[in-house]
Amino acid sequence: MENIRINPNFQFQWEEKQDCYVLLYPEGMVQLNHSAGEILNLCDGSSDIEKINKTLCEKFEVEDLTKDITVFLIEAKNRDWISYE
């Protein structure tokens, strides 16, 4: 499996005023919903889909989120938010 990293052209951070995670880039900001923020928070270059799924399933006490994570990561890749290493 390939590890996933946030594109270095974006800055991922918690925005207290917005009460959510955001992606900052020179032209603006993307506010992320809770699920997207939780997934991207794990895209640190040392995690793949399997590890992200395991971490989130343990955190939220569910069995499997692979499909939802994969759908989101496809969209994030299409928007150039992430890359695979």
Side-chain angles (χ1 to χ4, degrees), residues 52-79:
I52 293 169
N53 181 58
K54 182 176 187 236
T55 301
L56 293 178
C57 286
E58 289 172 359
K59 182 174 183 174
F60 296 109
E61 300 178 355
V62 296
E63 286 188 34
D64 187 28
L65 295 168
T66 304
K67 182 178 177 184
D68 295 322
I69 293 167
T70 302
V71 166
F72 171 74
L73 290 175
I74 290 169
E75 183 64 26
K77 176 70 174 141
N78 289 341
R79 293 176 184 236

Side-chain angles (χ1 to χ4, degrees), residues 3 10 12-13 16 18 28 30-31 35 38 40 42 46 48-49 59 61 64 70 73 76 78-79:
N3 290 333
F10 291 89
F12 176 75
Q13 68 184 43
E16 195 67 39
Q18 307 293 334
V30 177
Q31 286 184 314
S35 300
E38 290 288 339
L40 284 182
L42 298 171
S46 68
D48 59 16
I49 292 173
K59 182 174 183 174
E61 300 178 355
D64 187 28
T70 302
L73 290 175
N78 289 341
R79 293 176 184 236

